[in-house]
């Protein structure tokens, strides 16, 4: 079966992508489970040398993989000379790729002008480069086996939109390990930072001050908030838009709000819910006759203030005192009565107003986090 590209590819990489796409189509039509290519040991040596010259890391030095999905390379252990000798011995015919003779490509120059003299100067160099690839693959497999454990040891929150990492725990590792942990976290979410992005991230982890951040490839933003690092991932299509909840009156009810992209279930009524636990600070009680309805549960807004026993305080200052970073502030629900007075910063502060009074109707309000 033959195929051709129209228009012709403009680079080696584009040609490679087209070849594999063609092979995958043919495999699908034939009902084949695997695609075998003829990559051999000299191809592996050339690849490793080329990547080493460009400063590749351990993953790059792993070279051509013996298997990648449905693609298998059964001839990788054999040199080109060994394969040609076998073909001559059994009478096999083959077709030469004419582009291999074009020295305009860096790989072809390595193949024709660098590897042969290297092999003469250091006999066995090609096999040694192939062994280097095998050791690099084994090392990468070792890293893959422990990265889940290393990540869990520093992860504070696995929130799919903004995972958080303990900075001090991460700093206990060498920078190479820091970079690998961060890349592993981002790969979980479909991002693969390159060398420049990883270097920028590690530098920020070590020197960035609280309240600052750095943007990586793909729109990923790394921010420091006190002793934690927040990995802010780009919003995906369909991400929930914030939606305030209204409590129209003291009659029992339940509604869901979205605050900072997080869903919050709000329940209220004249009696405490059976599952409520005042110790978790998600339950508050008010004198229903001393507040103005409708109430609203919404997110924080710039300039918001709450009256406390010592006077009014901006929520921005309250959050700073409680070490709530900038990224976490939009997620804190605020209970506001008609007219705009803040009654409750859920989980952090309650205004000293509308305290429950014996003989007066009580209003119990619970707020439960139900995730993103």
């Amino acid at each position: 079966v033959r195929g051709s590209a129209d228009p012709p590819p403009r680079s080696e990489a584009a040609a490679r992508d087209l070849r594999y796409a063609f092979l995958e189509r043919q495999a699908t039509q034939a009902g084949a489970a695997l695609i075998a290519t003829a990559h051999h040991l000299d191809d592996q040596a050339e690849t490793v040398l080329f990547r080493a010259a460009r400063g590749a890391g351990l993953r790059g030095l792993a070279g051509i993989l013996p298997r990648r999905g449905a693609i298998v390379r059964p001839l990788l252990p054999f040199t080109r000379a060994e394969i040609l000798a076998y073909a001559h011995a059994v009478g096999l015919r083959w077709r030469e790729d004419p582009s291999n003779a074009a020295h305009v490509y860096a790989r072809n120059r390595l193949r024709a002008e660098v590897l042969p003299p290297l092999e003469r100067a250091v006999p066995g160099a090609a096999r040694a480069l192939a062994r280097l690839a095998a050791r690099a693959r084994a090392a990468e497999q070792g890293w893959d086996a422990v990265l889940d454990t290393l990540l869990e040891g520093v992860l504070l929150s696995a929130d799919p939109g903004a995972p958080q990492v303990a900075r001090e725990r991460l700093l206990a590792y060498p920078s190479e390990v820091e970079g690998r942990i961060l890349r592993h976290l981002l790969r979980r979410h479909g991002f693969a930072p390159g060398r420049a992005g990883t270097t920028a991230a590690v530098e920020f982890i070590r020197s960035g001050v609280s309240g600052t951040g750095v943007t990586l490839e793909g729109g990923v933003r790394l921010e420091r908030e006190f002793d934690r690092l927040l990995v802010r991932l780009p919003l995906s299509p369909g991400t929930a838009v914030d939606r305030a909840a209204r409590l129209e009156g003291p009659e029992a009810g339940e509604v869901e709000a979205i605050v900072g992209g997080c869903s919050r279930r709000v329940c209220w009524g004249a009696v405490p819910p059976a599952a409520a636990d005042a110790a978790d600070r998600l339950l508050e009680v008010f004198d229903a006759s001393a507040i103005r309805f409708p109430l609203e549960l919404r997110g924080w807004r710039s300039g918001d203030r709450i009256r406390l026993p010592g006077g009014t305080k901006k929520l921005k200052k309250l959050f700073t005192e409680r070490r709530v970073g900038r990224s976490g502030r939009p997620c804190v629900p605020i209970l506001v009565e008609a007219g705009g007075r803040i009654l409750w910063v859920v989980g952090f502060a309650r205004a000293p107003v509308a305290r429950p009074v014996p003989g007066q109707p009580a209003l119990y309000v619970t707020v439960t986090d139900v995730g993103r």
Side-chain angles (χ1 to χ4, degrees):
V1 179
R2 294 186 179 185
S4 61
D6 186 21
R10 301 175 65 88
S11 67
E12 284 189 292
R16 182 172 57 251
D17 291 342
L18 288 171
R19 284 196 299 270
Y20 279 117
F22 173 77
L23 291 172
E24 288 168 1
R25 288 195 300 272
Q26 297 307 312
T28 300
Q29 292 175 13
L34 298 174
I35 299 170
T37 69
H39 291 97
H40 47 70
L41 187 143
D42 296 273
D43 292 325
Q44 183 72 290
E46 169 197 315
T47 299
V48 174
L49 186 60
F50 179 66
R51 292 181 181 178
R54 297 181 65 181
L58 197 60
R59 189 175 293 273
L61 294 180
I64 304 171
L65 301 180
R67 178 166 185 170
R68 179 172 60 85
I71 299 168
V72 294
R73 288 139 178 156
L75 300 182
L76 271 182
F78 308 102
T79 66
R80 185 174 188 272
E82 290 170 335
I83 295 169
L84 286 176
Y86 175 81
H88 282 301
V90 299
L92 290 178
R93 299 191 318 178
W94 66 89
R95 186 186 299 271
E96 291 281 351
D97 183 350
S99 70
N100 287 340
H103 287 198
V104 295
Y105 300 121
R107 285 178 176 273
N108 290 357
R109 292 197 297 274
L110 283 177
R111 183 182 305 127
E113 301 170 8
V114 177
L115 279 171
L118 178 62
E119 189 69 31
R120 290 193 296 271
V122 185
R127 290 191 183 277
L129 288 167
R131 287 196 299 271
L132 174 60
R135 288 197 295 271
R137 285 196 303 276
E140 282 296 302
Q141 290 169 357
W143 275 110
D144 291 342
V146 300
L147 278 172
D148 277 340
T149 301
L150 292 176
L151 178 57
E152 292 305 320
V154 302
L155 201 60
L156 295 172
S157 167
D159 187 318
Q164 296 181 30
V165 173
R167 178 173 178 269
E168 293 302 319
R169 295 183 209 166
L170 199 58
L171 286 176
Y173 293 108
S175 59
E176 168 67 17
V177 182
E178 292 174 18
R180 283 186 174 269
I181 292 173
L182 180 63
R183 286 198 301 272
H184 187 60
L185 172 60
L186 292 179
R187 285 195 184 102
R188 282 187 174 184
H189 297 277
F191 297 91
R195 185 188 314 156
T198 301
T199 300
V202 170
E203 289 178 355
F204 177 75
I205 289 169
R206 292 184 167 266
S207 61
V209 299
S210 182
T212 63
V214 61
T215 301
L216 310 178
E217 299 105 314
V220 175
R221 184 162 176 81
L222 184 64
E223 298 175 352
R224 180 180 172 188
E225 294 182 347
F226 304 108
D227 56 356
R228 64 182 57 202
L229 295 163
L230 179 111
V231 183
R232 191 182 294 281
L233 303 171
L235 294 177
S236 58
T239 300
V241 177
D242 278 13
R243 183 179 67 245
R246 284 173 62 88
L247 288 64
E248 297 292 349
E251 298 79 14
E254 178 178 334
V255 70
E256 187 169 302
I258 300 177
V259 179
C262 297
S263 294
R264 313 284 183 170
R265 182 174 298 108
V266 191
C267 303
W268 68 95
V271 296
D277 180 4
D280 66 8
R281 298 190 299 174
L282 297 179
L283 165 67
E284 275 295 347
V285 189
F286 302 91
D287 178 356
S289 65
I291 54 179
R292 297 171 57 192
F293 289 94
L295 306 183
E296 183 180 58
L297 189 84
R298 59 165 173 81
W300 168 59
R301 297 172 183 168
S302 179
D304 274 347
R305 291 175 173 270
I306 185 172
R307 179 171 294 280
L308 298 175
T312 63
K313 179 176 290 188
K314 281 189 173 183
L315 296 197
K316 180 179 179 180
K317 184 175 182 180
L318 174 69
F319 289 144
T320 300
E321 292 172 350
R322 299 297 183 88
R323 299 180 70 81
V324 181
R326 291 183 181 180
S327 65
R329 296 171 188 179
C331 301
V332 178
I334 313 295
L335 185 66
V336 183
E337 68 175 345
R341 182 173 64 168
I342 293 177
L343 299 175
W344 184 24
V345 180
V346 179
F348 293 96
R350 182 208 196 279
V353 298
R355 295 287 190 187
V357 177
Q360 294 294 328
L363 178 73
Y364 293 85
V365 181
T366 62
V367 179
T368 305
D369 183 1
V370 292
R372 284 184 181 263

